[in-house]
């Protein structure tokens, strides 16, 4: 095993849990978990701690706001209250509005089913990324978060390693090329690899600890 393979192994072993897993989402290619992932991606894309975004996603699920229909019907104040219980207060008013508007758009355009959006992109990952950004509150960062996680159940887009993940690779002295990184990771699920690389990008200590263990 060469140096880069050791680094990837150590990184994924310590930090390869996806954000969907942290939020309690059992990701499958079915409407509800995909919608929950979209909501989580919106929350994570704000300038707020990932742990708070994950807690807020859990709180929305606990309040049964886990489908576009329920989210749209809930009313803005109920969404604000659920976000608050998750500690997501800095952007709660704006985010509550975006969640309601996004749920309505998803229902009207794709029947509440993100698999239809996936099919509309017809295998074009760039088109898929653009379609996701039609959802209120989902910008480039949110679309990248969604696709990094969704590649677990949409293997046609894998390996999806965006700029944030590749910056983590650079910090670790790894190749900043998605296919080379996937080769180094071997049988590791690309979504787990992406999550681990993002954590290295966000936290210098994660990278330093990994490099020390791999030395």
């Amino acid at each position: 095993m060469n140096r880069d393979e050791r680094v990837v192994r150590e990184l994924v072993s310590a930090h390869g849990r996806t954000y969907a897993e942290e939020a309690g989402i059992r990701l499958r290619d079915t409407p509800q978990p995909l919608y929950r992932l979209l909501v989580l991606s919106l929350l994570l894309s704000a300038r707020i701690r990932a742990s708070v975004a994950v807690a807020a996603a859990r709180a929305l699920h606990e309040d049964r706001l886990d489908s576009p229909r329920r989210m749209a019907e809930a009313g803005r104040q109920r969404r604000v209250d659920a976000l608050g219980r998750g500690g997501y207060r800095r952007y709660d008013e704006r985010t509550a509005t975006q969640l309601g508007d996004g749920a309505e758009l998803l229902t009207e355009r794709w029947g509440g089913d993100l698999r239809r959006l996936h099919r509309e992109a017809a295998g074009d990952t760039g088109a898929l990324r653009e379609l996701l950004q039609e959802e209120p509150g989902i910008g480039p960062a949110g679309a990248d978060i969604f696709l990094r996680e969704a590649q677990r159940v949409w293997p046609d887009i894998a390996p999806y390693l965006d700029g944030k993940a590749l910056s983590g690779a650079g910090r670790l002295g790894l190749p900043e090329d998605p296919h080379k990184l996937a080769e180094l990771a071997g049988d590791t699920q690309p979504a787990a690899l992406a999550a681990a690389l993002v954590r290295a990008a966000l936290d210098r200590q994660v990278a330093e600890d990994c490099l020390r263990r791999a030395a």
Side-chain angles (χ1 to χ4, degrees):
M1 183 179 294
N2 63 34
R3 178 264 183 198
D4 287 355
E5 289 171 331
R6 292 197 305 274
V7 170
V8 169
R9 182 190 63 182
E10 292 294 340
L11 179 68
V12 172
S13 176
H15 302 286
R17 191 180 188 204
T18 67
Y19 289 97
E21 288 171 332
E22 284 194 10
I25 301 171
R26 295 182 180 179
L27 197 57
R28 299 185 301 277
D29 192 20
T30 54
Q32 188 182 66
L34 287 171
Y35 177 67
R36 290 182 64 194
L37 176 59
L38 184 71
V39 170
L40 175 63
S41 300
L42 187 157
L43 299 175
L44 283 168
S45 65
R47 294 181 179 178
I48 200 162
R49 292 195 311 276
S51 59
V52 174
V54 166
R58 284 182 172 273
L60 288 165
H61 176 61
E62 288 165 3
D63 203 21
R64 293 178 59 77
L65 303 183
D66 51 11
S67 73
R69 178 182 61 79
R70 288 172 179 162
M71 187 69 79
E73 292 176 353
R76 185 167 174 273
Q77 190 57 50
R78 182 176 165 191
R79 296 192 292 268
V80 169
D81 291 345
L83 290 167
R85 284 193 295 277
Y88 199 96
R89 297 185 178 88
R90 185 176 177 186
Y91 303 104
D92 56 350
E93 298 281 345
R94 183 184 71 184
T95 301
T97 299
Q98 291 171 336
L99 287 170
D101 292 345
E104 291 178 3
L105 175 64
L106 181 57
T107 299
E108 292 168 4
R109 175 140 185 210
W110 293 292
D113 188 346
L114 284 160
R115 294 176 301 180
R116 295 186 182 182
L117 181 151
H118 184 203
R119 287 195 293 270
E120 184 175 326
D124 185 332
T125 303
L128 182 56
R129 189 172 183 267
E130 292 299 318
L131 287 171
L132 286 166
Q133 291 179 66
E134 293 186 21
E135 279 286 301
I138 298 290
D144 284 337
I145 292 166
F146 181 90
L147 294 172
R148 288 197 308 255
E149 301 270 325
Q151 65 185 318
R152 180 181 289 276
V153 293
W154 291 350
D156 59 300
I157 67 172
Y160 192 88
L161 301 174
D162 64 321
K164 180 67 73 175
L166 295 179
S167 70
R171 175 171 278 181
L172 291 160
L174 295 169
E176 295 182 49
D177 176 272
H179 293 284
K180 289 181 180 178
L181 288 166
E183 288 177 9
L184 288 170
D187 293 334
T188 297
Q189 232 288 332
L193 173 62
L197 288 169
V198 166
R199 290 185 173 93
L202 295 174
D203 188 342
R204 184 177 295 277
Q205 192 62 50
V206 166
E208 291 176 354
D209 290 347
C210 174
L211 291 172
R212 186 179 63 254
R213 290 193 304 270

